[in-house]
Amino acid sequence: MKSSVRLFICIVAWTIACVCANGATDYSNRVLFENSSSQKAHYYSFTKISTPSSLAVIGGKLPVDTEHFLSAPNSLKLQWTSRVNGGWEAEVHAYIWRNRVVDFSGTELRLHVYSPTGIAAVDLPLLALRDMDGNFTRTVTLANFTGDLPAGEWKVIRVPMARLQTASVRLFHSTRTKAVILAQGRADEREHTLFVDDITFDSPRARSALQAVTGVRAEGFERHIDIAWNASKDLTFARYEIFRSIDGGAFKQIGTQMPTLTRYADFVGRPGVHARYEVRLMGTEGNPSAFSAAAEASTKPMTDDELLTMVQQASFRYYWELAQPDSGMTRENVPGNDDIVAMGASGFGIMALVVGADRGFVTRTQAMERLLLITSFLAKADKFHGAWPHFLNGRTGRTMPVFDQFDDGGDLVETSFLMEGLLAARQYFKNDGVTGQELYRKITQLWEGVEWDWYRKTPPQDALFWHWSPDYTWFISNRLTGWNETMITYLLPIASPTHGVPGSLFYSGFTAEGVKGHYANGKRVYGIELPVGKGVGGPLFFAHYSFMGFDPRKVRDKYANYFEQNRAMAKINETYCVKNPKHFAGYGADDWGITAVDGPEGYVPYEPRPDLDDGTIAPTGAISSMPYTPEASMEALKHFYRDLGGQLWGAYGFRDAFNQQQDWTAGIYMGLNQAPQVVMIENYRTGLVWRNFMANPEVPGMLAETDLQH
């Protein structure tokens, strides 16, 4: 009875936290710039200079300053000299992360500025805005909206949006602002320095009293301290602010967190650091709350085994703490559109949930309750001949065609990733009493309801097809043929007890048997034999997604031993980065992991070959290869954490990607990339998820049907 009460309290607390967080000020609709994830120069800034004027830049971008800021840990440094017949311009762009909807609805633009020596109003820059469609406003002088700036004091400049009139041929849309432009004003021939922080779109509000943050707690790891707190019930604050005291010293602001998140990672860089932390709210009108009670912790030396658990637990929290509350499903990315949940990422998250329960990150009862929420949602959500779409609205269960209008139906690949996770969970929890049996029944109903055979088209083809739409039928008509991530999308239909397909489809469809040079490779890349796949084998996630549940150890067919195939892909990836043919910064034996990811310019299916490589590394690439290359993957993990942790380590594990060549770090976490680290580390350590997926009663028949030896 007591455990049931504790569980109820936990579920209610989690639900309240999510609801309160979602009710807070919408960060995406307010903030154009708050902090830069770049170390030297802000990646999302652009400059132009015409002599004899000057503007301090690094690689054509605005420098990042860590000594002066309003919201820690940095601001932008604007240092210029305006001269006659010269000019300069600096643009600060919004970071358009995946699925971000640009909808700045405030009635005024606010720039927070600081001058070490003071600047007369008449010497301040000009200002203009440009929207997502390239339309722009007339320039205005900041002097119209502020007096002289005093020395050594942060000031807010408020520019009413009504004062920014369209200057382009087409109408400028302020809600779709892409860039804030600062440009040369009066040519006074003097050097000025201005630090700019917190560029936001707001509407004036009364300065209401904010409640103090409660429940602050801290936990020390090897080189960082994790700080968490209870979600605030206030609905009009701008951010959380985190303050730290080292060894009894004064408290100083070290970071901020958006209103939707209640966790922060403070990377202090070494073991043996003792720190105390306080957290407060900052209102949109610059009105702070009182400080929380302090929490304290110390960093400590950690073994390799402890480091692995640390990475697993931090990445697991993405699926536990940031799940969409109505459905329990995994959000595509955070920050992002809070309503979009992804089927594949949710399947991976379910496998991470199995690991979390086994490692004690949550109790088995908590994990099963979450899975009951997920399966109940899936049973009622949109399905198309039993297959779910790529994306659903987590509140309503309705299809969300995120990519284009034709992607509004069933997605067989995403469904297979989802089912891979559900079947692993079905086996893992099946003996957990009444709840485990209920979960087994619900997953079985979902599993048996997928009409895999429908996706052969009519009349039946010798392959499976990725999409079907009730409105556009087979318009996309993407035939599933490997080598790629879709092996599991053939294995599960062959295993299906209700809507099965013949084992021969694996060869006629996935391997495209008979098509010369399509599947089999056999060549050596950097001296490493690659059994299948074109070129270098493809992005590294090909070796992960189908093999998070399906155990490739000792699995072979006429083409490959699939464990050795995946090991070869990982070793080729590492070797390419060691050889580093394009001489990118950072690349080496401990800095590798090239795979499809959102890079500096958006999504790219990166591969370890010069024409598909721009210097972007995804930590999930190397770390999720742990079963194949344990020593090299561990070296990469240590390097990412110990040497680059200040840049890469965040509240939910490693950031999605980084590019040292371009001084860029992703500002998001991706649902597809955190869970593989949790699961594949565990498969390396104990084989847990492999063992449970392979123990499903349908698997032996599938192996026999395909002649896959195990």
Side-chain angles (χ1 to χ4, degrees):
M1 181 67 179
K2 289 182 180 179
S3 62
S4 299
V5 171
R6 285 197 300 270
L7 173 63
F8 174 77
I9 292 171
C10 177
I11 293 172
V12 170
W14 172 71
T15 304
I16 289 173
C18 291
V19 169
C20 290
N22 290 337
T25 304
D26 189 337
Y27 181 91
S28 297
N29 292 347
R30 289 187 56 254
V31 177
L32 186 137
F33 172 83
E34 188 173 66
N35 285 298
S36 176
S37 61
S38 302
Q39 304 297 295
K40 298 177 182 178
H42 185 46
Y43 184 82
Y44 299 101
S45 66
F46 305 88
T47 61
K48 298 177 183 177
I49 307 166
S50 176
T51 56
S53 295
S54 64
L55 176 69
V57 300
I58 299 176
K61 300 182 182 297
L62 287 175
V64 171
D65 187 85
T66 58
E67 297 296 322
H68 308 85
F69 50 75
L70 183 67
S71 58
N74 56 46
S75 66
L76 301 179
K77 183 178 182 180
L78 204 66
Q79 187 173 32
W80 76 88
T81 301
S82 296
R83 293 189 170 95
V84 175
N85 296 323
W88 60 265
E89 176 185 287
E91 301 185 5
V92 183
H93 286 213
Y95 173 22
I96 310 300
W97 54 70
R98 180 181 291 221
N99 298 319
R100 179 175 186 175
V101 177
V102 176
D103 186 19
F104 295 122
S105 55
T107 60
E108 59 185 27
L109 170 69
R110 299 180 185 177
L111 299 94
H112 295 78
V113 296
Y114 176 98
S115 172
T117 58
I119 302 176
V122 293
D123 294 330
L124 287 171
L126 305 177
L127 170 76
L129 305 183
R130 186 167 60 251
D131 68 19
M132 299 290 292
D133 301 312
N135 307 311
F136 49 90
T137 70
R138 293 188 176 90
T139 56
V140 296
T141 177
L142 290 178
N144 293 335
F145 310 101
T146 185
D148 296 344
L149 297 185
E153 183 179 343
W154 280 99
K155 287 290 188 180
V156 58
I157 300 177
R158 301 169 182 257
V159 181
M161 297 305 297
R163 297 283 297 275
L164 295 169
Q165 300 298 309
T166 299
S168 52
V169 174
R170 295 175 298 176
L171 184 65
F172 166 79
H173 294 282
S174 62
T175 58
R176 289 176 48 76
T177 297
K178 179 180 181 179
V180 170
I181 304 166
L182 298 170
Q184 174 167 315
R186 190 168 78 106
D188 64 349
E189 305 289 334
R190 297 175 56 198
E191 182 177 272
H192 298 285
T193 300
L194 187 69
F195 298 98
V196 181
D197 205 353
D198 290 10
I199 303 174
T200 63
F201 293 81
D202 284 296
S203 297
R205 293 187 177 94
R207 292 170 60 93
S208 58
L210 299 172
Q211 298 180 20
V213 175
T214 62
V216 177
R217 48 212 181 269
E219 182 179 5
F221 295 88
E222 187 186 87
R223 306 203 177 189
H224 83 279
I225 296 174
D226 192 76
I227 307 103
W229 55 89
N230 298 335
S232 173
K233 296 181 180 180
D234 283 297
L235 301 180
T236 57
F237 68 98
R239 60 181 176 268
Y240 294 103
E241 295 184 339
I242 298 91
F243 289 74
R244 178 186 68 199
S245 164
I246 295 284
D247 296 330
F251 278 94
K252 296 180 181 180
Q253 187 188 162
I254 58 161
T256 62
Q257 190 57 280
M258 63 182 64
T260 54
L261 304 181
T262 57
R263 186 177 295 276
Y264 183 84
D266 177 27
F267 192 83
V268 297
R270 59 183 175 86
V273 175
H274 183 78
R276 302 177 70 230
Y277 297 91
E278 296 177 344
V279 181
R280 73 178 183 185
L281 305 181
M282 178 56 68
T284 57
E285 298 300 319
N287 49 311
S289 72
F291 285 103
S292 69
E296 58 187 296
S298 299
T299 53
K300 57 191 177 184
M302 293 175 68
T303 65
D304 287 3
D305 204 51
E306 289 172 326
L307 287 173
L308 289 173
T309 301
M310 176 193 77
V311 172
Q312 287 181 292
Q313 184 173 26
S315 300
F316 164 81
R317 289 182 180 133
Y318 179 95
Y319 305 90
W320 186 252
E321 296 182 356
L322 304 183
Q324 201 285 330
D326 302 287
S327 62
M329 299 278 283
T330 299
R331 289 178 166 128
E332 168 78 342
N333 52 280
V334 174
N337 185 316
D338 288 340
D339 288 338
I340 296 176
V341 296
M343 299 309 100
S346 292
F348 297 171
I350 289 167
M351 287 183 273
L353 200 61
V354 169
V355 177
D358 206 68
R359 287 273 163 194
F361 303 155
V362 294
T363 68
R364 293 176 74 97
T365 302
Q366 288 174 312
M368 286 190 291
E369 291 293 334
R370 176 66 64 84
L371 282 166
L372 288 174
L373 175 64
I374 290 171
T375 52
S376 296
F377 171 80
L378 289 171
K380 298 176 182 178
D382 283 348
K383 291 184 285 293
F384 305 89
H385 291 278
W388 292 273
H390 194 138
F391 300 109
L392 288 169
N393 184 305
R395 291 181 296 104
T396 67
R398 303 285 76 84
T399 303
M400 297 185 77
V402 173
F403 293 137
D404 58 47
Q405 69 188 83
F406 306 112
D407 190 25
D408 66 342
D411 185 310
L412 203 66
V413 175
E414 292 290 311
T415 295
S416 70
F417 295 154
L418 175 61
M419 195 53 63
E420 184 181 17
L422 286 169
L423 289 175
R426 182 181 75 161
Q427 189 67 23
Y428 180 77
F429 292 108
K430 72 174 186 177
N431 294 321
D432 280 58
V434 174
T435 305
Q437 286 299 303
E438 181 185 1
L439 188 59
Y440 191 98
R441 177 184 58 80
K442 296 182 77 167
I443 292 174
T444 300
Q445 288 179 342
L446 296 173
W447 160 233
E448 293 181 350
V450 181
E451 299 176 29
W452 306 95
D453 51 347
W454 171 266
Y455 287 80
R456 293 181 67 183
K457 293 188 176 181
T458 303
Q461 305 293 302
D462 64 350
L464 294 167
F465 291 79
W466 199 312
H467 307 88
W468 179 81
S469 162
D471 296 320
Y472 306 103
T473 62
W474 304 104
F475 181 82
I476 297 179
S477 195
N478 189 347
R479 178 188 171 104
L480 292 175
T481 301
W483 167 253
N484 53 29
E485 75 272 31
T486 67
M487 179 184 282
I488 195 70
T489 316
Y490 276 89
L491 299 179
L492 289 177
I494 294 166
S496 172
T498 52
H499 296 279
V501 302
S504 60
L505 221 63
F506 178 80
Y507 295 99
S508 62
F510 184 67
T511 71
E513 194 166 58
V515 180
K516 185 177 180 180
H518 183 83
Y519 192 75
N521 187 316
K523 297 178 181 178
R524 302 186 76 83
V525 183
Y526 300 122
I528 301 160
E529 183 177 354
L530 183 68
V532 301
K534 296 180 179 179
V536 297
L540 198 46
F541 77 92
F542 286 4
H544 304 150
Y545 289 5
S546 281
F547 305 100
M548 292 170 65
F550 182 67
D551 184 354
R553 294 175 298 181
K554 301 180 182 178
V555 171
R556 61 178 62 85
D557 60 16
K558 65 185 75 175
Y559 295 105
N561 173 311
Y562 285 100
F563 186 86
E564 294 303 323
Q565 162 69 16
N566 295 341
R567 187 202 300 273
M569 286 192 64
K571 291 175 70 175
I572 289 168
N573 208 291
E574 179 205 5
T575 304
Y576 172 88
C577 290
V578 170
K579 291 185 176 295
N580 194 7
K582 298 182 77 173
H583 308 289
F584 285 137
Y587 277 26
D590 59 359
D591 194 336
W592 60 280
I594 300 174
T595 189
V597 74
D598 285 4
E601 301 303 320
Y603 176 80
V604 178
Y606 294 112
E607 295 186 28
R609 64 188 216 203
D611 61 324
L612 277 175
D613 175 27
D614 66 2
T616 298
I617 295 290
T620 190
I623 294 171
S624 300
S625 298
M626 190 74 67
Y628 313 127
T629 51
E631 294 84 7
S633 294
M634 194 68 205
E635 287 305 304
L637 184 154
K638 290 178 180 178
H639 174 61
F640 295 155
Y641 178 66
R642 290 174 173 169
D643 303 325
L644 304 179
Q647 172 187 0
L648 291 185
W649 187 262
Y652 299 95
F654 290 111
R655 295 285 181 181
D656 199 52
F658 66 103
N659 188 312
Q660 290 175 277
Q661 183 69 25
Q662 300 184 47
D663 189 25
W664 174 87
T665 305
I668 64 171
Y669 301 94
M670 282 287 296
L672 283 173
N673 291 339
Q674 299 306 102
Q677 298 173 68
V678 181
V679 175
M680 295 303 268
I681 286 175
E682 192 62 37
N683 282 333
Y684 160 69
R685 298 175 85 177
T686 68
L688 174 72
V689 184
W690 282 343
R691 185 169 63 251
N692 279 279
F693 177 86
M694 299 301 285
N696 278 283
E698 298 90 344
V699 170
M702 174 267 290
L703 293 172
E705 276 274 313
T706 54
D707 290 326
L708 285 167
Q709 301 174 32
H710 192 266

